[in-house]
Every structure is written in C-alpha cells, then in structure tokens.
Amino acid sequence: MRLCENGLVGDSMRIVDVKVFVAELEYFEPFTIALGTSTISRNVVVRILTDEGIVGWGEASPSRRITGETVESTIYAVKNYLKPVLVGKDPICVNDILKEIDKNLQGHSSAKAAVDMALYDILGKNFNLPLCKLLGSSKNIIVTDITIGIKSPKEMAKSAIEFVDRGFRTLKIKVGTDPLEDVERVKAVRDAVGDKIIIRVDANQGWTPKQAVKTIKKIEKYGIELVEQPVPWWDLDGMAFVRENVDTPIAADESVHSPVDALRLVKSKAADIINIKLMKCGGINKALKIANIAEAADIELMIGCMGESTLGITGAAHFAAAIDLIKYIDLDSDLLLKDNIVVEGGVTISRDMRSLPSDSGLGIKKIAQNLIKDA
Ligand code: MN
C-alpha cells in the first residue's frame, strides 16, 4: 500500500530517476523590458520517471534578474538537492515531497517549479485526468494577452497592429526606461489600435514612486486597465504610495514571489492585483496558497510567465483554468519564441484563446528531442 504522511492511499508507485535537460530557445526578435534584453530563453526541462512507466514533464525558465537563478544554478539544484529527495518517493504524495524539498533547499523557485509541474503531471496521469480537471476546473479555454517589449513608440505601435490583426484583444506593453518616452509608447499603441483593445502596462520596477504617479496620471487618459510593478520590488511603501495616488489598479509582480510575500503585500495595501508566476513561487502547489491568500484578502489575481516554452506555459494554463480568481492572463512567452519544444499536445492558441489539452496530466504528448540536450 502507498503510505503518505496521513494514511493509506493505494498501490505504491516510486520515482526511479530524474533527468535534466537544457533547451536554448530563440526569440523572434530581441525582447526588451526595463530590466534588460533577451535574445534567447535558456530553460531547464525536467523529466521524472516512475517504476510504473508514468513519466512527468516540467520546465524551469530561470530569470537571474528576478529570482536570482541561472540555468547552471537550476541544473545544479535539481541534480544535487531535488533529485535525491525525489528518488524512491511515491510521486502521488506531492505535498510531502515539496515540503521536504523546501526544507532541504531555500530559494531556487524555478527549479522547484519544474519539479512541482512534473509531479502534478504524474498525478494527473495516474488518475487519468487533465491537470486542470484534477484541480477542479470547469473551463478548457483561457484568453491570454500578448506582450510587446520595449522599442520605439513607432515600432511598438506596429507590433500592436500585427498582434491585433492576429486576434489578440488585450495587449501588455512594456515600459519603464524613460517616463516621457513611456507616455509616448502608450499613446502610440492606443492611437494605433483604437478604443476596443485592452491595454495593460508593465514598468518592471522602472520608475521611482513619484515618477510612477506622474507618468500613470499622464497615461490614464489612454485607457489603461492596470499598471504592473511601477517601482522596485522591495519598495512596498513606494508602491502603496503609487496606489493611493492614481486611479488605475496596481499589480504586484516582482514584489510577490511566495505566499509569505503575498501576505506581506496584503498587509501593506500596496497593490490591487497579484501577478502569480510559477517560476517565482516554486510551482502550482505554492501558487494555490497565494490564490487562497488573495481570495481571503479580496485581491485580484493575474498569472504571468518568464520565458517558458509551451511546456511550462501548459503547466501555468492548467492552474489558470482552475482558479476562478485569475482575471488577468499573461501566458504568452512561448508565442514570442521561434522554437517550440512541444511537438504534440500542450496548450494550443487560436486568436487569443488557449485551449487546454484533454489528455491526462499536463497533456504533453511529444517533446522535440533535438531541442533538449542532456544537462
Ligand atoms: Mn511583470
């Protein structure tokens, strides 16, 4: 019998091995945010193997500027600190395993997110349910925005038109390099796409609190749904000041990684919305806890991503479909990448609608072996 911490569950399954791969995926064009520019996304793919032949897939997209992780540190963490906890365990006991991993290693949220995702993949496959259904979802389609990186106002307007022509109804525009040019960016995009398109703005910590208030007041007339992370991540007082002084809802992204951060944000009244990213919080298990805090605090939720391929985006999409409180969906990084490691299965896109797969677990059916290299 399978023995979890609190009792018997059923016949036991065991994790027999954990494989780690690296994938280097090129962006269609250099992607710039206030924190820097990326031309490729270097991700870590994890495959957990069990003695019953069920395999779980997960992906980490480490962001050194946000979580302090590199590809190398992520690979090292999975191989040396997560794998030893996993091997020999029953993968169904997800809560116990993740608790032990947290005890064994502080931080390394993307590495943990990849393992968490692979465990939930196995859980879904074991019970023959798509992960979103296992999490209680009644939805199988979610609507995403699409992100436009920082460029000249004219270039951003051009990208905006292209995305609207492809069927996107919500644009997330990156700003935060220069307050005056940022206003021009928002104006150029609004002028280009007309009134029916929703515009979200993300400053990625690029403004001081006073610059943020001044700039947000100027862009409010262009019809802005929300402004994400106007000030540095550590400055909750500054973000509360911004929130007090503008009409536009403020979303916290880099300021909230963990459930503990979420609680601190609630107490500081610094934001109206929390942007959950699996890569920041350590996976679905922790994301559920943030969602619970947000619900109790009457704070809205957004779900976002780093540079995940369709594999990691699929994990986040299953979670997003299951959590009603998630009103803002920003699951688009794979759409900005030229290469796709998911050959068959995973979430698909039609206009701005992402369909969840109906296969069990994450629903990833085939991974491009030529795009993942042994790490
Ligand atoms: Mn953001």
Side-chain angles (χ1 to χ4, degrees):
M1 294 297 273
R2 170 186 300 144
L3 196 57
C4 283
E5 199 178 309
N6 296 320
L8 301 172
V9 175
D11 295 331
S12 69
M13 177 178 9
R14 296 288 157 200
I15 293 170
V16 290
D17 201 4
V18 179
K19 302 275 189 203
V20 189
F21 309 89
V22 62
E24 299 201 347
L25 309 169
E26 210 183 321
Y27 281 94
F28 281 112
E29 59 176 32
F31 181 65
T32 300
I33 67 172
L35 298 168
T37 299
S38 305
T39 53
I40 54 166
S41 189
R42 294 182 70 217
N43 296 344
V44 176
V45 173
V46 170
R47 189 173 60 174
I48 297 181
L49 290 86
T50 66
D51 61 355
E52 291 187 11
I54 295 180
V55 166
W57 289 97
E59 183 181 25
S61 185
S63 170
R64 67 184 190 279
R65 297 182 181 106
I66 295 168
T67 69
E69 297 169 282
T70 61
V71 167
E72 291 72 21
S73 75
T74 304
I75 292 166
Y76 194 87
V78 175
K79 283 187 170 177
N80 294 282
Y81 297 107
L82 308 192
K83 182 178 171 181
V85 174
L86 291 161
V87 173
K89 292 276 186 348
D90 181 343
I92 302 309
C93 306
V94 177
N95 296 342
D96 293 356
I97 293 173
L98 294 176
K99 205 197 275 180
E100 192 175 333
I101 281 174
D102 273 343
K103 240 170 117 179
N104 200 35
L105 183 69
Q106 158 69 3
H108 297 270
S109 55
S110 303
K112 290 174 182 175
V115 163
D116 163 287
M117 199 181 293
L119 290 173
Y120 278 101
D121 189 18
I122 293 170
L123 196 64
K125 284 170 176 163
N126 185 67
F127 295 109
N128 200 26
L129 277 174
L131 179 53
C132 60
K133 301 292 171 204
L134 192 73
L135 296 171
S137 170
S138 56
K139 272 185 250 174
N140 43 32
I141 288 177
I142 55 174
V143 175
T144 184
D145 64 20
I146 188 96
T147 306
I148 301 172
I150 294 176
K151 293 183 278 189
S152 73
K154 209 174 154 190
E155 288 169 311
M156 289 176 78
K158 186 169 171 266
S159 296
I161 290 168
E162 284 166 12
F163 285 135
V164 168
D165 285 346
R166 276 168 59 181
F168 290 96
R169 289 167 284 181
T170 303
L171 302 172
K172 170 160 158 174
I173 47 185
K174 293 287 192 178
V175 296
T177 51
D178 170 60
L180 289 179
E181 202 177 8
D182 290 338
V183 175
E184 292 307 311
R185 291 184 170 108
V186 177
K187 181 182 188 303
V189 171
R190 176 55 80 201
D191 288 348
V193 300
D195 289 342
K196 292 206 174 71
I197 298 299
I198 296 169
I199 296 178
R200 319 183 158 147
V201 174
D202 188 356
N204 285 107
Q205 316 176 49
W207 299 324
T208 65
K210 284 187 176 173
Q211 275 178 338
V213 170
K214 208 172 155 187
T215 309
I216 294 167
K217 281 186 170 165
K218 285 184 194 163
I219 60 177
E220 276 174 340
K221 63 172 172 287
Y222 303 115
I224 301 306
E225 181 188 40
L226 60 90
V227 172
E228 210 176 307
Q229 200 64 46
V231 299
W233 66 270
W234 44 266
D235 192 4
L236 292 184
D237 290 340
M239 199 147 73
F241 169 79
V242 176
R243 184 181 177 230
E244 270 298 297
N245 286 286
V246 299
D247 292 331
T248 305
I250 302 297
D253 181 359
E254 290 94 315
S255 292
V256 176
H257 291 221
S258 64
V260 173
D261 295 338
L263 190 58
R264 198 176 292 138
L265 183 98
V266 167
K267 286 182 179 168
S268 64
K269 302 184 191 303
D272 305 279
I273 301 155
I274 292 173
N275 185 347
I276 296 181
K277 291 180 182 169
L278 300 185
M279 297 303 132
K280 288 186 299 176
C281 68
I284 291 163
N285 195 273
K286 283 287 194 312
L288 287 164
K289 292 171 185 175
I290 296 176
N292 289 338
I293 291 169
E295 183 169 359
D298 201 18
I299 283 193
E300 291 184 322
L301 287 175
M302 177 169 186
I303 186 155
C305 53
M306 299 292 188
E308 295 95 313
S309 75
T310 303
L311 171 53
I313 290 295
T314 298
H318 280 287
F319 173 75
I323 305 299
D324 222 29
L325 202 62
I326 297 178
K327 199 175 149 193
Y328 311 96
I329 295 174
D330 175 31
L331 294 178
D332 63 347
S333 55
D334 58 328
L335 308 173
L336 308 178
L337 297 168
K338 241 187 239 176
D339 309 306
N340 197 347
I341 66 169
V342 178
V343 182
E344 207 186 325
V347 282
T348 55
I349 183 97
S350 170
R351 299 182 70 82
D352 60 359
M353 290 166 284
R354 306 219 70 161
S355 299
L356 277 301
S358 52
D359 291 291
S360 61
L362 292 177
I364 302 293
K365 290 176 84 175
K366 197 176 170 197
I367 295 285
Q369 297 299 326
N370 60 319
L371 289 177
I372 61 170
K373 294 191 175 61
D374 287 334

